[in-house]
Amino acid sequence: MIQAKNLKKVYSTEEVETTALNNVNIEIKEGEFVAIMGPSGCGKSTLLNIMGLLDNPSDGEYHFLGHDVSNRTERERAQLRKGNIGFIFQSFNLIDELTVFENVELPLLYLGMSADERKEKAEAALERMSMMHRRNHFPQQLSGGQQQRVAIARAVVANAKLILADEPTGNLDSDHGNEVMKVLAELNEQGTTIVMVTHSPHDADFAMRVIHLFDGHVVTENMQEGFHV
């Protein structure tokens, strides 16, 4: 599903040049659950942005679903993201002015689905996350754990093949965090590929494989025996 070859990302200003990623080589197969770990500033979020087609690398190759997308335009990347990639963020990124249902329905509007189809899919995603009873509430009326469940419903509503999660439990207490991780593990069991950036060894235990970054390099890569759900 994902193949990165000699991936490099450099940010330049007039005064300084910063290398965020340096010759990163990664392959992620369909159906895997992969955790990416490392200290702050090591390139984790930069790598996730490139994987999610939010940014292009400065050098190297990035293949997604068999397409070389290293130098695609923003419009081309957006087209490939639609329906294929769902995002889950630490800060939930829900729209305060929209209800729970409207937040989850939003990606389907961009896909041009009919109102009936949107309703059916959004309701199914909310049922899956046990959030139908909150469909008419607004994000600020929900707990952090509930908001993250809504964010996951939004990420999966279009049956995305890949979920990219950036510190998905970072703003949650341990109980709600554990709940969210179990939901991600269940989604993975059902066939969704998940790549998660995390600082938490506990969260990383849910993954099949852990990739450690340091100073923009992959330093270790471990398969996990007996990862738990």
Side-chain angles (χ1 to χ4, degrees):
M1 176 177 270
I2 285 174
Q3 198 172 32
K5 295 180 182 176
N6 300 320
L7 213 61
K8 192 169 184 179
K9 184 66 182 180
V10 178
Y11 295 101
S12 300
T13 65
E14 286 182 11
E15 290 91 28
V16 68
E17 190 174 87
T18 305
T19 301
L21 295 174
N22 196 0
N23 292 325
V24 168
N25 293 282
I26 288 174
E27 188 168 340
I28 295 170
K29 294 182 171 65
E30 203 164 324
E32 279 197 285
F33 188 156
V34 177
I36 299 173
M37 300 189 77
S40 295
C42 71
K44 300 186 302 294
S45 292
T46 300
L47 180 58
L48 209 67
N49 284 343
I50 292 172
M51 285 183 176
L53 307 178
L54 297 172
D55 201 1
N56 278 334
S58 305
D59 201 2
E61 294 179 25
Y62 177 54
H63 295 258
F64 177 64
L65 294 176
H67 303 277
D68 184 353
V69 292
S70 314
N71 296 299
R72 297 290 181 96
T73 65
E74 168 52 31
R75 179 175 295 209
E76 288 170 335
R77 294 199 309 271
Q79 281 300 117
L80 199 49
R81 277 198 306 270
K82 277 184 192 175
N84 284 320
I85 303 176
F87 295 90
I88 302 167
F89 301 97
Q90 178 177 340
S91 55
F92 319 132
N93 283 22
L94 299 174
I95 298 171
D96 289 339
E97 294 75 25
L98 299 182
T99 64
V100 162
F101 178 86
E102 289 165 342
N103 267 284
V104 174
E105 179 191 35
L106 196 59
L108 306 178
L109 282 166
Y110 295 127
L111 291 171
M113 286 185 187
S114 68
D116 286 347
E117 197 175 359
R118 293 199 308 270
K119 182 174 184 289
E120 183 183 333
K121 285 185 177 294
E123 287 181 351
L126 286 169
E127 285 282 7
R128 197 174 178 186
M129 294 300 119
S130 304
M131 288 301 294
M132 263 297 281
H133 65 297
R134 296 286 199 171
R135 59 169 291 159
N136 295 319
H137 287 72
F138 290 91
Q140 295 191 351
Q141 295 174 296
L142 308 178
S143 70
Q146 289 173 328
Q147 288 189 59
Q148 195 61 296
R149 278 180 170 269
V150 174
I152 294 171
R154 181 185 58 189
V156 302
V157 70
N159 296 320
K161 297 177 177 69
L162 172 67
I163 297 289
L164 297 176
D166 195 353
E167 299 284 0
T169 67
N171 281 341
L172 303 176
D173 61 38
S174 57
D175 285 346
H176 284 122
N178 211 39
E179 198 179 289
V180 164
M181 288 310 305
K182 285 180 177 175
V183 169
L184 291 179
E186 284 164 15
L187 287 170
N188 178 247
E189 278 194 335
Q190 293 160 13
T192 306
T193 307
I194 296 176
V195 180
M196 172 183 69
V197 160
T198 183
H199 279 105
S200 163
H202 170 268
D203 290 359
D205 277 349
F206 284 82
M208 301 171 181
R209 184 156 56 105
V210 181
I211 295 169
H212 291 268
L213 288 186
F214 187 77
D215 284 350
H217 296 274
V218 174
V219 288
T220 60
E221 200 170 327
N222 309 109
M223 293 298 293
Q224 302 212 124
E225 294 178 21
F227 69 95
H228 65 267
V229 175

